[in-house]
Amino acid sequence: MTALIAPITEDAPCVAVYRELREDVPRSSAQIGYGYNLYPAARATHRFLRRALGACADLGRLHEYGTVHDTRDRALAAKLAGTYLGVQLDGEQVVFTSGATEGIGLVTRWLAACDAGLILPAPCYYAFEQTPRRWGGTIQGRYRHDGHLAVTSTVAARTALVEIFPNGVTGTLYTPPPTTHDFRVIDVVFLAGGTREQPHAITETVRSTLAGTVADTAVLMTPSKDLCVPGIRPGLLISGHASLIDAVRDDVFDRTASSSPLAGQLVLLYLSVLLLAEAAHDPNPRAFARRYRWLVRQYARHEVPTVPSEDDCREIVEHLDTMSGHFARGFDLLSEHATGLLEMGDHLRPVAGYSLLPRLTAPFTRPQETVAWVNAIGQQFQLKLNPHLLFGGTKESWHTLYPGPPRIRVNLSVPHRDLVTTLELLRAAHRGVVLPLPRTEAA
C-alpha cells in the first residue's frame, strides 16, 4: 500500500528565522521582548471570571456545544462594540474567536480563497504571513510607518489592506500607503495603556478609519493584552461582509462546533470596560455612573446575566491607568539603562501598549549576521532576543524598508527590576559574545 504523505508547505521567512534564532538556546533563558502582557491582571477581573464560570455552569453552557445564551452574548457584543466603534452591528456580524491569532487565520484564509493579496505593515504578526502561505494566498507588498510601500512580485485579482492599531511590535500608528484596495483588515492590538495625555488616541483613530461602516472590512479585537489574560485567549471578529462571516462560521463549525462561552463573557467584560474607561476620563463626574446604568440596561435587554458590578468596573479601569503608568516608567528606565545599546528617544514611546522596536547598536546590517549574533547571545548568555526579522516580511523587504542596523523588540510590561536586569545582561552579551565562523548565506 502506498503511504499517504501530505505535501510540505514551506514556512514563511519569519517563522523559518525563528527556528534559526532559537537553535540550541535553553528554553529557560531570560527574554527582553516577550510577545504578551506580563503585567498582573486586576483582582476584579479574576472575580468576574469566577462568577462568569459559575453562571455558565448554572445555565448548562458547560455541557452543551451551544445554547441560546451564545446568541444573546453575540447580540450584546454587537451592541457594545458598535457603540464603542461608532458603527451599526447585529449579532450575525460578530464571531468570538480563540484569540486574535485565530481571527487572523480565518480572515486571511478566506482572502486567499478570494484571490485577494495582502498589503501588510512591517512589522506585523507572523500569522499574517504564515496562513496565506499555507492556503495559497499572496503578499502584494509591505509598508513602513510613513506609508512607503515595498511591492513584491506576486499578483492577485484583488487587494486587501491590513492596518494595525497601534502596530503590535513598534507601538506606533502607521500611515497606510496610497493604494486602492477591495477589502481591509483592521487589527486593534492595544486600546488600554495609552499615555495619560491621550488615553484614547487609538480609539479615536479606529473610529475615524472605520468612518461608521464595516462593509468590506474585518475588525479584529482581543482582550488578552489589555486585560492581561493571554492564557484564556478570547478574541472578537466583526465584519459586515456576509461571505466572510459565513466562511468563518463554517470553518469554526468544522473544527470546534462552538467556542468557549467563557471567551464570550470576557469579550463582553472588555467592551464594557472600554466604554467605561472613556466615561471615567470624561470631565463630567457623573459620566461613569450614567454610562454604567446604560450598560446594565443593555445586559438586561439582551438577557445576559453576568453584568460586571460597578465597583469591579471602576477597579479594572483604575488598574488600566496604573498599568499605563507602569509602561511609562518602564520606558523611562529603558532610556536610562540602554545608552550605548539601543536607539532611544521619545519618538519610540508606544502610543498604547508595551512594545517597541528600537535599533540595536551593532556594526552589522546583513540579516544572516543578525541571526548569528542573536543565536550566539542566546547560547552563550541565555538571553533571548527578538529581532525585526521575526515580525513578518523577508530579508529583502526589511532591507528595502528599514536599511541599517538590526532592531530588537522590547517589552515594557515586565517587572521593572527584570527590565533593568535583562538590559545589564544584554550589555554584558553585547561586549563579550563570541560569534561563530560566518556561514554562507543562502541565495
Side-chain angles (χ1 to χ4, degrees):
M1 179 178 178
T2 303
L4 299 177
I5 302 176
I8 297 175
T9 303
E10 184 183 24
D11 282 331
C14 59
V15 177
V17 163
Y18 176 82
R19 304 186 198 285
E20 293 184 68
L21 292 169
R22 298 295 186 254
E23 184 178 357
D24 296 327
V25 175
R27 291 178 61 88
S28 59
S29 298
Q31 189 168 174
I32 202 169
Y34 293 95
Y36 57 94
N37 194 348
L38 280 81
Y39 195 74
R43 288 175 295 178
T45 300
H46 292 159
R47 288 196 298 270
F48 175 83
L49 285 170
R50 285 194 290 268
R51 189 159 66 84
L53 181 61
C56 288
D58 292 342
L59 293 169
R61 302 182 70 179
L62 300 185
H63 61 266
E64 293 284 352
Y65 279 122
T67 69
V68 67
H69 300 286
D70 299 326
T71 302
R72 293 170 181 170
D73 285 353
R74 287 195 301 270
L76 177 57
K79 178 62 177 180
L80 301 186
T83 301
Y84 187 75
L85 298 173
V87 297
Q88 288 290 325
L89 297 174
D90 62 58
E92 293 303 309
Q93 297 172 316
V94 167
V95 178
F96 298 131
T97 62
S98 180
T101 306
E102 184 186 39
I104 292 169
L106 292 167
V107 173
T108 54
R109 179 176 173 178
W110 174 78
L111 289 170
C114 296
D115 194 17
L118 300 177
I119 296 179
L120 298 173
C124 69
Y125 195 54
Y126 81 92
F128 281 111
E129 303 261 0
Q130 183 79 341
T131 303
R133 181 171 290 253
R134 291 182 59 239
W135 294 99
T138 58
I139 309 298
Q140 289 186 308
R142 300 172 180 88
Y143 63 96
R144 67 188 182 201
H145 60 91
D146 60 0
H148 179 73
L149 179 66
V151 178
T152 68
S153 60
T154 55
V155 178
R158 300 170 184 83
T159 299
L161 174 67
V162 175
E163 294 188 75
I164 303 177
F165 297 97
N167 188 284
V169 182
T170 69
T172 56
L173 289 169
Y174 278 30
T175 299
T179 58
T180 58
H181 55 271
D182 304 286
F183 195 85
R184 59 183 178 173
V185 181
I186 307 297
D187 185 15
V188 187
V189 180
F190 302 111
L191 280 165
T195 62
R196 293 185 183 277
E197 292 74 21
Q198 293 181 297
H200 305 288
I202 303 302
T203 304
E204 294 164 4
T205 303
V206 172
R207 288 172 180 164
S208 176
T209 301
L210 290 175
T213 180
V214 289
D216 297 322
T217 301
V219 180
L220 301 168
M221 300 176 68
T222 175
S224 297
K225 292 181 172 63
D226 287 335
L227 293 186
C228 320
V229 286
I232 297 179
R233 303 200 60 75
L236 179 64
L237 166 59
I238 299 167
S239 182
H241 199 295
S243 173
L244 169 60
I245 291 296
D246 288 344
V248 166
R249 292 200 190 284
D250 285 346
D251 194 288
V252 171
F253 177 77
D254 287 346
R255 292 180 294 109
T256 61
S258 66
S259 60
S260 165
L262 202 58
Q265 295 295 295
L266 197 51
V267 168
L268 292 175
L269 172 67
Y270 182 52
L271 294 171
S272 300
V273 166
L274 291 176
L275 286 162
L276 287 167
E278 279 196 306
H281 297 136
D282 191 291
N284 186 343
R286 297 186 179 88
F288 190 99
R290 185 167 59 243
R291 175 59 60 86
Y292 181 76
R293 289 194 297 272
W294 178 86
L295 279 166
V296 170
R297 290 196 297 272
Q298 304 315 310
Y299 275 79
R301 185 171 300 158
H302 292 87
E303 299 180 79
V304 176
T306 50
V307 55
S309 72
E310 183 173 358
D311 286 344
D312 281 353
C313 289
R314 286 187 183 276
E315 182 178 323
I316 295 172
V317 169
E318 290 170 2
H319 186 83
L320 296 180
D321 287 340
T322 303
M323 181 176 72
S324 174
H326 177 88
F327 297 163
R329 176 56 182 153
F331 186 85
D332 293 340
L333 286 171
L334 183 67
S335 301
E336 295 170 17
H337 292 271
T339 304
L341 290 174
L342 302 172
E343 167 202 13
M344 288 310 303
D346 204 57
H347 65 288
L348 292 168
R349 188 184 294 273
V351 177
Y354 51 75
S355 187
L356 63 154
L357 194 72
R359 287 190 184 277
L360 182 71
T361 302
F364 48 85
T365 58
R366 294 173 64 244
Q368 205 57 35
E369 292 175 323
T370 300
V371 172
W373 189 83
V374 169
N375 180 254
I377 285 179
Q379 291 191 38
Q380 296 170 32
F381 290 86
Q382 287 75 60
L383 176 64
K384 295 178 181 178
L385 301 178
N386 296 314
H388 61 289
L389 297 168
L390 276 178
F391 304 110
T394 64
K395 293 171 181 177
E396 294 76 15
S397 68
W398 278 109
H399 179 72
T400 299
L401 293 172
Y402 299 98
R407 300 162 182 260
I408 63 167
R409 186 186 204 180
V410 177
N411 185 317
L412 302 175
S413 74
V414 300
H416 292 153
R417 181 179 298 177
D418 291 355
L419 178 62
V420 173
T421 299
T422 51
L423 287 171
E424 292 172 350
L425 185 57
L426 176 59
R427 189 176 298 280
H430 189 271
R431 184 170 53 243
V433 67
V434 177
L435 293 176
L437 293 175
R439 302 175 182 176
T440 301
E441 188 170 354

